[in-house]
Amino acid sequence: MGVPQNGIFAFGTSAHGYFELDLAPGAVAADVVAAVADHLLSETSMQAVNLVAGFRPELWATVAPGRMPAEVTGFTEPVVGPDGFTLPATQHDIGVWISGPAPDAVFDGGVEIVTALAGKAVLVAETMGWSYHRDYDLTGFIDGTENPKQSEAPSRVLVAPGEPGAGGSVLLLQQWAHETADWMSLGVTDQEAVIGRTKADSVELDDRPATSHAARTDQDEYGTILRRNTAYGTVLDHGTMFVGFSATRSTLHAMLRSMAGLDGPRDALTRYTRPLTGAYYFVPSVDDLGVVATPDR
């Protein structure tokens, strides 16, 4: 298997930054991809933080044909449920996730990547995130309960050996705003019905509602993903950065369609959270980044 970008599995960090960039006018795609690869593979850069970078699937496929799973495409159209609930498509060319021990380290890492891509790509969106009580979502529930064990995660969410893009992964990056006042007005029992798990210890309810988040994103039905979500924002404006990795785009997109109510009832959690963005990025292996990097850099 190709060696994955190690930041995908680097747990324990408390500060996070999410940076999305578009190619600058007149920029050559191969030069931009090479600049990102050079930065990630640098021995001296980003030592204080973990950096994960992905590309709009169509961009990566153009620069590295044969190193992209065939079914992976960008988030080019919104997902619209039968009642009009919409998961927006806000696809960009490059997605970068930086995690580290403190906000200043993440900030410095963001400045580094933007500087490295000056004249080649333009920063168009950024969000700073943070861990909420280590493993919790802002709803007060434990997040990522169904994540595969860390020892098993690479074999579950990376493209398999021998396949195009082996060792890479598909990243779904979304920003979800929380309607906290509405959520907090619910009692614990009602909140548990929305999530489909107990709040105290994240045990799945025996009689979970079909509308529960656990039911609408059941990995036994849709496939395995690795959630690396964090909180973002302030008391006035806050929510969740969804950071989901999978070996296939279809797994992630099937969950989104399910949440929107396209193959059953709409996910009850979407009554209390609003998706603001949505993009897919292919996160190549370190081996494939080496292929597109500047020779003798």
Side-chain angles (χ1 to χ4, degrees), residues 79-169:
V79 176
V80 182
D83 64 354
F85 173 74
T86 301
L87 294 111
T90 59
Q91 185 70 53
H92 295 290
D93 290 325
I94 304 166
V96 179
W97 165 36
I98 300 175
S99 62
D104 55 355
V106 172
F107 175 86
D108 288 345
V111 171
E112 280 196 32
I113 187 68
V114 170
T115 301
L117 298 179
K120 297 181 175 68
V122 179
L123 181 64
V124 291
E126 64 174 308
T127 304
M128 304 303 284
W130 35 275
S131 296
Y132 182 66
H133 296 291
R134 186 177 175 180
D135 297 323
Y136 283 75
D137 181 88
L138 289 179
T139 60
F141 284 72
I142 297 172
D143 197 9
T145 301
E146 288 195 3
N147 275 349
K149 294 179 181 179
Q150 196 163 357
S151 60
E152 299 174 355
S155 65
R156 304 290 298 278
V157 302
L158 299 178
V159 178
E163 298 293 328
S169 192

Side-chain angles (χ1 to χ4, degrees), residues 136 140-142 188 191-192 197-203 205:
Y136 283 75
F141 284 72
I142 297 172
V188 171
Q191 289 183 354
E192 291 178 337
R197 294 182 175 276
T198 59
K199 192 169 186 178
D201 47 14
S202 198
V203 175
L205 301 178

Side-chain angles (χ1 to χ4, degrees), residues 5 25 38 75 113 124 165 214 286:
Q5 295 184 36
D38 292 349
F75 205 138
I113 187 68
V124 291
V286 172

Side-chain angles (χ1 to χ4, degrees), residues 272-291:
Y272 305 95
T273 60
R274 290 180 293 108
L276 304 179
T277 67
Y280 287 112
Y281 297 102
F282 185 68
V283 179
S285 69
V286 172
D287 305 69
D288 283 351
L289 288 173
V291 171

Side-chain angles (χ1 to χ4, degrees), residues 59-73:
L59 173 63
W60 176 253
T62 297
V63 174
R67 298 178 184 275
M68 160 68 73
E71 60 90 22
V72 182
T73 59

